[in-house]
Amino acid sequence: MHRRQLLLAGAASAAAFHPVLRAQAPAGAAPKPLASMRIYIPGGEGGGWDQTGRALGASIQAAGLAGKISYENKGGKGGTIGLADFVARYNSDPGALLVGGMVMLGAIAVGRPEVTLAQVSPVARLTNDYMVLVAKTGAQPATMAAMVEAMRKDLGKVAFTGGSAGGVDHMLAGMIARQLRLDVTKLKYLPTASGREAVALLDKGEAQVAISSYSEFQADIESKALTPLAISSRRTLYGVPSLTEQGVNTELGNWRAVFGPGQVSEADRENLRRIVVTATQHPSWIQSLQEKKWLGALQHGKDFADQLTIEQAIASAVTMMLRLKS
């Protein structure tokens, strides 16, 4: 496939979601409630995966599908450190779920760790979220046009920050540089474990532009601490003009999902799927989507497993094309 086609394929996979609540597919037979469950979050507290995992856990409990839910955070390297830990400790636990998503696919493509998603079971994709580019209010660049001008003048002096190396934030920065016909090998990208850490780098002046899902920066945008420059959707979203509308023809979404243990019975795997899908039908989950400005993108079973294979191939191709390194 031609390089441009690969980039467009990556964008198209993210663009398949429209910013409306997707219809929730039926879970099939009723799930069997569990006495306890564990939701493993391979990222920092307060980040997108953390928000997603805790919102899902609250909905599982609200639906009466688990008596007790414990949460565990272990970030680093785009979730691959937590993925390996989950496989080592909980891969036979019928009540365990691992949060993950597009970020992890990029980290796997770049880092090539020994433990990959092949060792766990895809349960369900939950949400899609678009990334917003922000700068510290009062600092430069103050606009998208100013950012583009600075990148064209000297790409290496515009430090970007966001999630892990090779993750969706890193991909987006590389795609923007490529659309501007710049040398992507000169891109300066500072990976972090959460949106909070990215904001801290802006505050210190160590980075000029931060990229993350809109939900992670929402509070700082609303308080005017951060200035949004552009969003990675096709059109204006949440009042922020898109990259494409501002002359950079780039679009990318960040989906999030949950995975189950790889060494449990088919019956236990199916029960986890039913628990998750049923929880996404509960009013508390719908409320979380609305409050966090997440886009419902439920996909589960074989459909999700097949899509995951495609997404991993796209992530591998894009990270290689953009020469992203860990």
Side-chain angles (χ1 to χ4, degrees):
M1 186 181 289
H2 190 274
R3 287 184 175 185
R4 178 174 173 79
Q5 289 177 310
L6 281 170
L7 275 179
L8 292 175
S13 68
F17 312 106
H18 188 270
V20 297
L21 182 63
R22 307 291 287 189
Q24 304 297 328
K32 175 185 176 183
L34 300 177
S36 64
M37 291 186 68
R38 177 182 302 277
I39 295 182
Y40 193 106
I41 302 161
E45 292 186 15
W49 285 347
D50 186 65
Q51 293 177 22
T52 303
R54 292 175 190 273
L56 178 63
S59 298
I60 289 173
Q61 282 194 299
L65 299 173
K68 177 183 178 182
I69 295 184
S70 58
Y71 301 90
E72 186 170 348
N73 292 77
K74 190 179 184 69
K77 295 189 176 180
T80 56
I81 291 177
L83 169 62
D85 188 48
F86 179 87
V87 169
R89 298 166 59 202
Y90 305 120
N91 220 26
S92 298
D93 183 347
L97 287 171
L98 169 75
V99 181
M102 186 65 179
V103 170
M104 190 178 286
L105 299 191
I108 289 171
V110 170
R112 299 182 182 181
E114 291 185 9
V115 177
T116 69
L117 291 175
Q119 278 78 54
V120 294
S121 302
V123 174
R125 184 188 63 196
L126 301 172
T127 66
N128 189 52
D129 200 2
Y130 289 104
M131 281 76 70
V132 64
L133 287 77
V134 300
K136 182 180 178 181
T137 298
Q140 290 296 324
T143 65
M144 177 68 184
M147 186 192 83
V148 169
E149 181 180 357
M151 290 176 68
R152 283 178 167 153
K153 184 176 181 180
D154 190 340
L155 180 58
K157 289 188 177 180
V158 182
F160 288 82
T161 186
S164 62
V168 68
D169 304 335
H170 195 178
M171 284 186 195
L172 183 59
M175 290 169 72
I176 292 170
R178 187 172 176 82
Q179 277 290 319
L180 295 176
R181 300 182 183 277
L182 302 175
D183 183 355
V184 295
T185 63
K186 295 182 179 179
L187 178 71
K188 184 177 182 181
Y189 184 83
L190 308 175
T192 66
S194 69
R196 291 178 183 175
E197 291 184 19
V199 172
L201 291 182
L202 291 181
D203 288 338
K204 295 175 184 176
E206 295 178 16
Q208 286 72 54
V209 179
I211 303 175
S212 191
S213 296
Y214 185 88
S215 57
E216 288 201 57
F217 290 150
Q218 181 178 352
D220 286 323
I221 290 173
E222 292 176 349
S223 71
K224 309 297 184 182
L226 295 177
T227 297
L229 307 177
I231 198 163
S232 67
S233 54
R234 182 174 302 174
R235 291 177 289 273
T236 295
L237 191 61
Y238 315 131
V240 182
S242 71
L243 288 163
T244 298
E245 290 170 330
Q246 298 185 79
V248 181
N249 189 22
T250 299
E251 179 185 353
L252 190 64
N254 179 23
W255 54 265
R256 299 191 183 102
V258 284
F259 301 83
Q263 297 177 350
V264 295
S265 69
E266 184 59 36
D268 286 334
R269 187 176 296 118
E270 175 63 13
N271 193 52
L272 280 175
R273 183 191 70 82
R274 291 174 179 172
I275 285 174
V276 170
V277 175
T278 301
T280 64
Q281 298 171 342
H282 194 274
S284 67
W285 177 253
I286 307 304
Q287 183 177 356
S288 293
L289 292 179
Q290 295 170 343
E291 289 179 351
K292 300 295 185 182
K293 290 186 168 57
W294 293 333
L295 311 178
L298 182 65
Q299 187 180 54
H300 52 94
K302 186 177 184 299
D303 288 343
F304 176 47
D306 291 345
Q307 185 64 33
L308 187 63
T309 300
I310 296 171
E311 294 279 357
Q312 184 67 78
I314 290 172
S316 298
V318 172
T319 54
M320 180 175 64
M321 181 197 329
L322 297 176
R323 304 176 192 176
L324 303 185
K325 299 178 181 180
S326 60

